[in-house]
Amino acid sequence: MEPIAIPLGGPREERADAARNRAHLIEVARAMVDELGADKVTMDGLAERAGLGKGTVFRRFGTRAGIFFALLDVEETAFQERILNGPPPLGPGAPAVERLVAFGHARMEFLIERTALARAALDPAQPIPVSASPSLFHVQVLLREACPDVPGIRALALQLTAALEGPLLLYLRAPDGAAPATMPRDLAAGWKTLVERVCG
């Protein structure tokens, strides 16, 4: 059974004008992030740059973190397309353990390249529900296939997902915002060892 893509953004059906505003705001927000950096993007600044009222921006995103959540959602959708329909081992067609290792490596690369965006999408005023991780369901499905006799697959999937994503978002960044040069290689090796021992 293949995981389904998890929608992270706005409602599935929008009025035409609301959809246009959303697309325009996301395009402008992306340009501002590229130009100024995520830490310089504000709700007021986005409204002014987009030529829309502040109320429109607040209704669309709710909070400043919501801007980055929407930007990340666009990229998450493309990432999930690779998982669902891309070539193996990330996509279908490889053994579950190989897919799980490949997923971890691809996910690390994805988050390392987008750490500032992903961290800005976290709203400190809001709890983060376990189900919010787009990785959790995929890890759980692959674990169930790779090691069906291991009890507590959901809890194990949660622990692996936290080990995969948590350090990238919260800890492993230098003060200047750059990832240590050895981090991708070291984390990739650690993830492979962890998966193979869990499923061995």
Side-chain angles (χ1 to χ4, degrees):
M1 175 182 174
E2 287 298 325
I4 58 172
I6 302 171
L8 299 178
R12 292 186 179 183
E13 294 184 7
E14 297 178 290
R15 298 189 323 269
D17 59 337
R20 281 194 300 272
N21 282 344
R22 173 181 172 78
H24 178 56
L25 284 167
I26 289 175
E27 181 181 354
V28 172
R30 167 53 67 192
M32 292 179 71
V33 169
D34 291 344
E35 177 186 338
L36 306 172
D39 59 326
K40 297 292 195 302
V41 177
T42 65
M43 302 283 270
D44 288 351
L46 176 58
E48 181 177 354
R49 178 79 70 94
L52 296 169
K54 285 187 281 188
T56 299
V57 177
F58 276 91
R59 281 192 301 274
R60 171 50 58 194
F61 298 120
T63 65
R64 179 179 178 274
I67 298 170
F68 305 103
F69 191 82
L71 288 173
L72 198 59
D73 180 32
V74 174
E75 304 202 21
E76 286 280 11
T77 299
F79 181 73
Q80 288 194 29
E81 177 63 23
R82 292 170 58 200
I83 295 169
L84 294 170
N85 299 308
L90 182 59
V97 171
E98 289 183 28
R99 290 198 70 193
L100 198 52
V101 170
F103 171 77
H105 292 177
R107 189 65 182 169
M108 288 174 197
E109 180 180 314
F110 178 90
L111 289 174
I112 287 169
E113 291 176 355
R114 299 165 180 81
T115 300
L117 191 62
R119 291 178 71 173
L122 298 175
D123 186 346
Q126 297 294 328
I128 303 173
V130 171
S131 59
S133 170
S135 301
L136 180 60
F137 182 68
H138 186 62
V139 170
Q140 184 175 329
V141 168
L142 291 178
L143 275 177
R144 195 176 302 281
E145 181 181 341
C147 42
D149 297 330
V150 174
I153 287 291
R154 179 170 172 76
L156 181 58
L158 174 60
Q159 290 171 312
L160 286 176
T161 301
L164 175 64
E165 297 189 348
L168 297 173
L169 296 181
L170 301 176
Y171 303 116
L172 299 179
R173 299 296 284 184
D176 62 0
T182 61
M183 184 171 71
R185 183 182 68 245
D186 294 344
L187 286 178
W191 174 257
K192 184 174 187 292
T193 299
L194 184 59
V195 169
E196 290 177 346
R197 289 188 179 181
V198 165
C199 299

